């Protein structure tokens, strides 16, 4: 384990052991303070966030982008402060902490008995949304987690999410897809954060007018199992309650091969994500490269 990996593991461990003991107003102030310090440093993550937001809010002035990135960092740190504290929240606090519109899409899909795939972008606090599903709705679900380095940090995230009632499968290893398909065929719920491809073999979509790649797994699972594919978006407002919306189901096209159908369905997911992100750009925690123009190496003369 490198020194950087040891430091990351120690910092996350300190967050879960220390921040969760703080009173909620104190944790919120700490998050805003850390966010503002990070924003003022103008590190690569903040600069990347502004470049991404420039696609979401075309024509925004530098002052507008700076204000959005500052709000974005505060939203991002709110996610972390809440996540560090979630294991200490009472079931009542979790149940009262989220308000979701159009929940009937989810309940109807589960009542049909064919399973449901909820696909979300990196908006607001998806961990809180998951805890709300298991606590308020009483619905267990399965998700996947990126294998982080060091392994001990990955183990911390798995233990944290399993402690909130989620079944967590590793993103790598080739077995996750089959396990997710089995859960869906049994009528279960699968939740996947799906706006950034981690495999470099995702499906190309048009996203805010430029090509990007997103994972094809949600669409392929829906085709293979007959499960309903539902986009969902989240956002914060000025209250302690996170808001959310479940969008209408994404239909499987009637024609085309498996990959062609997945392409159409993944584009529909991207369009739903774009709607939610455009409405609440400051809550989109995308501090990494996403668009193909940023991923591809520059071409020579």
């Amino acid at each position: 384990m490198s020194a950087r990996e040891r430091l990351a593991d120690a910092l996350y461990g300190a967050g879960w052991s220390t921040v969760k003991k703080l009173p909620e107003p104190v944790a919120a102030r700490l998050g805003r303070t850390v966010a503002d310090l990070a924003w003022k440093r103008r590190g690569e993550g903040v600069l990347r966030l502004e470049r991404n937001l420039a696609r979401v809010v075309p024509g925004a002035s530098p002052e507008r982008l700076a204000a959005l990135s500052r709000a974005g960092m505060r939203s991002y740190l709110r996610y972390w402060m809440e996540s560090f504290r979630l294991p200490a929240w009472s079931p009542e606090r979790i149940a009262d902490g989220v308000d979701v519109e159009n929940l009937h899409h989810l309940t109807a899909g589960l009542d049909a008995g064919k399973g449901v795939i909820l696909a979300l972008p990196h908006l607001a606090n998806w961990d809180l949304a998951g805890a709300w599903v298991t606590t308020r709705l009483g619905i267990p679900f399965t998700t996947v987690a990126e294998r982080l380095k060091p392994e001990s940090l990955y183990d911390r995230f798995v233990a944290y999410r399993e402690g909130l009632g989620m079944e967590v499968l590793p993103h790598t290893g080739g077995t996750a897809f089959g396990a997710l398909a089995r859960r869906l065929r049994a009528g279960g719920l699968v939740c996947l954060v799906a706006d950034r491809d981690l495999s470099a073999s995702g499906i190309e979509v048009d996203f805010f007018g430029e090509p990007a790649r997103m994972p094809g797994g949600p669409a392929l699972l829906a085709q293979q199992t007959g499960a309903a594919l539902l986009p969902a978006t989240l956002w914060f407002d000025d209250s302690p309650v996170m808001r959310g919306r479940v969008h209408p189901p994404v239909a499987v096209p009637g024609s085309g091969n498996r990959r062609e159908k997945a392409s159409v369905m993944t584009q529909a997911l991207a369009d739903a994500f774009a709607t939610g992100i455009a409405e609440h750009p400051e809550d989109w925690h995308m501090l990494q490269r996403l668009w193909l123009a940023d991923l591809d190496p520059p071409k020579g003369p």
Side-chain angles (χ1 to χ4, degrees), residues 2-301:
S2 69
R4 183 174 182 177
E5 290 172 346
R6 285 195 298 272
L7 177 61
D9 185 48
L11 288 174
Y12 283 110
W16 272 302
S17 64
T18 303
V19 174
K20 71 179 181 182
K21 299 176 184 177
L22 298 174
E24 195 159 334
V26 175
R29 285 197 300 272
L30 175 62
R32 289 192 296 270
T33 299
V34 173
D36 288 348
L37 288 172
W39 178 78
K40 289 177 182 177
R41 286 186 58 194
R42 309 289 294 163
E44 178 55 34
V46 173
L47 296 177
R48 175 53 54 191
L49 177 61
E50 287 188 6
R51 295 185 191 109
N52 291 340
L53 289 171
R55 265 91 169 217
V56 175
V57 189
S61 66
E63 293 77 16
R64 169 69 171 147
L65 288 176
L68 272 177
S69 68
R70 183 181 186 186
M73 291 304 295
R74 286 189 167 193
S75 176
Y76 186 48
L77 264 294
R78 175 174 172 175
Y79 161 79
W80 279 113
M81 292 298 110
E82 288 182 349
S83 296
F84 287 144
R85 289 180 47 76
L86 265 176
W89 282 12
S90 68
E92 293 77 18
R93 174 67 180 89
I94 293 173
D96 294 339
V98 183
D99 180 44
V100 178
E101 302 171 3
N102 299 332
L103 193 60
H104 65 279
H105 292 307
L106 172 60
T107 55
L110 291 172
D111 289 345
K114 294 184 177 181
V116 170
I117 306 157
L118 271 180
L120 305 91
H122 286 82
L123 274 169
N125 190 339
W126 48 97
D127 285 330
L128 173 56
W132 182 83
V133 167
T134 61
T135 303
R136 177 66 178 267
L137 303 183
I139 301 172
F141 69 89
T142 305
T143 188
V144 297
E146 179 184 358
R147 275 208 175 274
L148 302 170
K149 291 183 179 181
E151 191 74 15
S152 57
L153 181 55
Y154 170 77
D155 292 340
R156 286 186 192 274
F157 271 96
V158 170
Y160 155 66
R161 288 177 173 140
E162 288 180 342
L164 298 175
M166 313 174 194
E167 180 189 21
V168 183
L169 305 176
H171 182 271
T172 56
T175 60
F177 189 93
L180 294 174
R182 288 191 293 273
R183 304 298 186 272
L184 293 167
R185 290 194 183 99
L189 174 63
V190 166
C191 298
L192 301 170
V193 180
D195 58 343
R196 180 169 173 255
D197 179 54
L198 295 174
S199 67
S201 60
I203 292 176
E204 186 171 321
V205 295
D206 179 271
F207 196 52
F208 290 100
E210 291 189 43
R213 271 193 299 266
M214 293 187 181
L220 294 170
L221 280 167
Q223 286 185 61
Q224 185 163 314
T225 66
L229 176 56
L230 304 177
T233 51
L234 306 167
W235 67 94
F236 294 132
D237 57 18
D238 293 330
S239 77
V241 177
M242 182 177 69
R243 312 296 172 179
R245 179 182 302 123
V246 181
H247 297 252
V250 173
V252 178
S255 61
N257 60 34
R258 190 165 178 256
R259 184 75 177 184
E260 289 168 345
K261 291 179 180 179
S263 179
V264 173
M265 297 170 73
T266 305
Q267 182 63 61
L269 285 181
D271 292 343
F273 294 167
T275 297
I277 292 166
E279 290 175 351
H280 306 279
E282 68 279 3
D283 289 324
W284 189 40
H285 307 151
M286 188 55 63
L287 281 70
Q288 300 86 19
R289 299 173 188 268
L290 179 70
W291 280 270
L292 298 191
D294 297 331
L295 294 174
D296 293 340
K299 295 179 173 60

